[in-house]
Amino acid sequence: NNQGNNQVEVNPDIEGVGLTGLRRLSREEYDNTLVDLLGDTTRPGSSALPEDAIDPFDNNYETQRVSQALVEALENVATGAARRAMEDATRRDEIVGCTPANSGDEVCFRSFVKSFGLRALRHPLTDDDVERYLPLLAFGVEDDNFYTAAGLVIQAMLQQPKFVYHVERGIPVEGRPNVYRLNQFEVANKLAYFLWGSM
């Protein structure tokens, strides 16, 4: 019912309302997301990722099994997508969003991780989140190429559970056991993938 504050209260005891699990992006959603995130129109998920079970939907978390084949396919797709993104200078510069002063430009790297992470992982990154990617900058320094490190960030994020899965945990509603309120990013994620099948 509507409480006058534009928030819908849901009774968890209503018959037919079940648990929600971590739902993986379908192959179609994965490919659509690569188009919107990287401008990558090669649709690698459709050919490389294991086929989604149709029962009648392709995104039922109860039928989405994790397997060695899935993990390897995700790595291969992410590696290829990151390589293609860094090969095209125009697309690369748009994705990175800053011009590095040198191969070890930490300011540009942090800015890129934060902005790309917001889009790829569908929520703002904390400072601790950004720090976890900082060691990848050493590969750019070693290769004397900032974009080596940027490509590794893309490759890593495209395999992150928060990219591959819809992670919508919400926060507990006080006084309402088993009721959780989604934040604005989780709601936006649910709506985007429901309406457009993409980010």
Side-chain angles (χ1 to χ4, degrees):
N1 62 3
N2 194 322
Q3 300 293 314
N5 58 5
N6 295 328
Q7 293 179 349
V8 177
E9 299 289 332
V10 177
N11 183 342
D13 299 323
I14 295 174
E15 189 173 330
V17 175
L19 297 174
T20 300
L22 287 177
R23 185 176 68 76
R24 191 175 70 240
L25 296 178
S26 68
R27 294 191 304 179
E28 181 76 13
E29 289 173 334
Y30 194 100
D31 285 340
N32 290 345
T33 304
L34 288 187
V35 172
D36 290 338
L37 183 62
L38 299 173
D40 188 332
T41 59
T42 61
R43 307 199 68 76
S46 296
S47 58
L49 297 178
E51 189 171 348
D52 300 305
I54 309 294
D55 60 354
F57 304 104
D58 63 357
N59 58 6
N60 182 349
Y61 75 94
E62 292 178 329
T63 62
Q64 293 180 325
R65 303 287 182 236
V66 177
S67 66
Q68 186 67 31
L70 172 66
V71 172
E72 290 173 0
L74 286 169
E75 181 180 12
N76 290 335
V77 169
T79 301
R83 186 190 70 249
R84 287 187 296 276
M86 293 298 102
E87 284 174 348
D88 181 327
T90 302
R91 188 186 322 164
R92 177 198 71 200
D93 292 347
E94 185 178 307
I95 293 166
V96 171
C98 56
T99 303
N102 53 54
S103 62
D105 187 337
E106 188 175 323
V107 173
C108 183
F109 189 77
R110 285 178 182 275
S111 172
F112 160 63
V113 169
K114 203 163 198 168
S115 62
F116 185 77
L118 171 63
R119 297 185 70 228
L121 305 181
R122 303 181 288 276
H123 69 87
L125 271 62
T126 65
D127 291 340
D128 285 345
D129 293 333
V130 174
E131 285 293 326
R132 289 187 186 103
Y133 291 93
L134 203 56
L136 296 177
L137 188 55
F139 292 94
V141 172
E142 182 181 315
D143 203 29
D144 196 26
N145 185 347
F146 177 89
Y147 299 107
T148 298
L152 290 172
V153 169
I154 294 171
Q155 184 178 334
M157 285 194 186
L158 293 184
Q159 296 174 76
Q160 280 283 341
K162 288 182 179 178
F163 176 81
V164 177
Y165 291 87
H166 295 281
V167 180
E168 297 150 0
R169 294 185 296 200
I171 57 171
V173 175
E174 189 175 342
R176 301 289 308 276
N178 302 317
V179 176
Y180 296 83
R181 180 173 289 118
L182 301 183
N183 67 34
Q184 61 186 346
F185 296 98
E186 292 168 326
V187 171
N189 181 58
K190 286 183 82 69
L191 286 172
Y193 281 93
F194 174 72
L195 296 171
W196 298 291
S198 186
M199 55 182 282

